[in-house]
Amino acid sequence: MQYYNQDTLIYLNAEFVKASNAGVDMFGQSLHYGYGAFEGLRAYSTHNGTRIFKAEEHFERLKRSCKAIGLPYTWDNRELIEKSYELLEMNNLRSAYIRPLIYSGSNMHLTASDTANIMIAAWEWGPYLGQHLLKVNISCIERPNPKSFPIDAKVSGQYINSILATSDAIKKGFDEALLLDQDGFVAQASSENLFIEKDFKIYTPPLGNIFPGITRETVIEICKNLGFEIIEKRISVKDIYEADSAFLSGTAAGIIGIKQIDDVVFPETWEDSIGASIQRKYKNLVLEQENYEVII
């Protein structure tokens, strides 16, 4: 898929340049070893104009991800948010996916880089997994062990794991994969967090072996505001198979329902599920059609 044409602009090291003229450092660790950090944000066309949803939270997480792997982060997040809005305007985008990327300077050693660069790109991109209910499989590929990798950081190299899991799922006729952790509990999808509904309660895996998604946190906030009981607990494969319904959440995918896991079709109709109510609420929030207060 081509995300830009010859005139598409990106933000690169304090300048707006054509994506086709950006160039690539052939001796950078990011290219050779996946040593980089990135974020994914969405801008929505609202009645208040174009708005980036939870921009501050995303750029703060980008900063934490760089810190987790020792990659220098020298930028002011407020300025980066301003540049993101400016980038949208320059590319005439009202709704868009935004991708900031921090990548290292030249260094062929397996040591932390002392220099880093920033790139921000934006393009029109519909929901990552489409809008139909998903067929998902339990992957044979495990989520990385948190003792071997900072899995709560959005680091480029770890997404090789996601590519392998998703590609394998698609080859088997599914839309997405669910990855288990090192203890055999369900962790998350390749790039989305998981929620299941059982007996009018929502369950989701706890932090520790999953990526702490910003959309995941938004779902938790929505549940509390709507009065739905949400429980963070380790979820077994048996729990998945016996659930009434399930859904995934992520910035790129939004909130999307799951039709079946492996050969097990969920008994509850998606339109009647709690997940569907949360999905509708989330759409209203990002489009600024209504507000909410965070309940702690």
Side-chain angles (χ1 to χ4, degrees), residues 53-273:
F53 188 64
K54 293 195 171 182
E56 294 84 0
E57 290 89 337
H58 280 282
F59 276 102
E60 185 59 33
R61 189 173 63 186
L62 179 62
K63 184 177 181 178
R64 292 198 304 270
S65 295
C66 288
K67 183 178 180 180
I69 60 173
L71 193 59
Y73 192 92
T74 60
W75 301 275
D76 179 86
N77 281 348
R78 289 173 298 179
E79 181 180 357
L80 294 181
I81 293 172
E82 292 174 0
K83 294 300 181 182
S84 297
Y85 275 106
E86 189 174 346
L87 179 67
L88 293 172
E89 185 176 357
M90 294 177 72
N91 282 304
N92 195 29
L93 293 170
R94 294 174 179 261
S95 298
Y97 182 80
I98 304 168
R99 171 55 56 83
L101 171 68
I102 308 297
Y103 61 98
S104 66
S106 297
N107 182 6
M108 287 291 93
H109 292 88
L110 296 179
T111 55
S113 178
D114 58 1
T115 61
N117 304 281
I118 187 167
M119 183 281 297
I120 305 176
W123 63 90
E124 291 184 0
W125 204 17
Y128 173 66
L129 293 171
Q131 299 186 25
H132 65 281
L133 296 180
L134 301 176
K135 294 174 59 180
V136 179
N137 79 325
I138 304 294
S139 180
C140 60
I141 298 170
E142 289 186 354
R143 175 90 171 137
N145 190 316
K147 292 183 178 180
S148 65
F149 199 88
I151 62 170
D152 58 347
K154 204 171 183 70
V155 178
S156 300
Q158 71 164 306
Y159 279 77
I160 295 172
N161 176 262
S162 302
I163 292 171
L164 293 173
T166 299
S167 298
D168 182 66
I170 292 173
K171 287 179 182 177
K172 294 176 179 177
F174 295 92
D175 303 303
E176 179 59 298
L178 283 180
L179 284 68
L180 306 183
D181 64 22
Q182 71 278 3
D183 297 320
F185 290 94
V186 178
Q188 63 172 73
S190 62
S191 60
E192 302 87 26
N193 291 116
L194 171 72
F195 295 84
I196 65 172
E197 177 184 347
K198 181 66 176 179
D199 297 330
F200 305 105
K201 298 178 182 179
I202 297 293
Y203 297 86
T204 191
L207 301 178
N209 290 298
I210 67 169
F211 183 70
I214 290 173
T215 307
R216 172 186 181 272
E217 185 60 33
T218 304
V219 170
I220 293 174
E221 293 166 0
I222 290 172
C223 285
K224 292 177 179 178
N225 277 274
L226 293 180
F228 297 131
E229 184 174 359
I230 183 162
I231 300 168
E232 295 181 70
K233 66 180 288 288
R234 303 189 85 176
I235 294 175
S236 67
V237 174
K238 184 174 181 289
D239 292 331
I240 293 289
Y241 290 159
E242 295 179 351
D244 297 325
S245 68
F247 62 93
L248 301 178
S249 72
T251 297
I255 295 174
I256 184 167
I258 300 174
K259 178 181 179 180
Q260 69 182 74
I261 303 288
D262 292 333
D263 295 327
V264 178
V265 178
F266 291 120
E268 186 169 21
T269 302
W270 170 249
E271 289 76 12
D272 299 326
S273 69

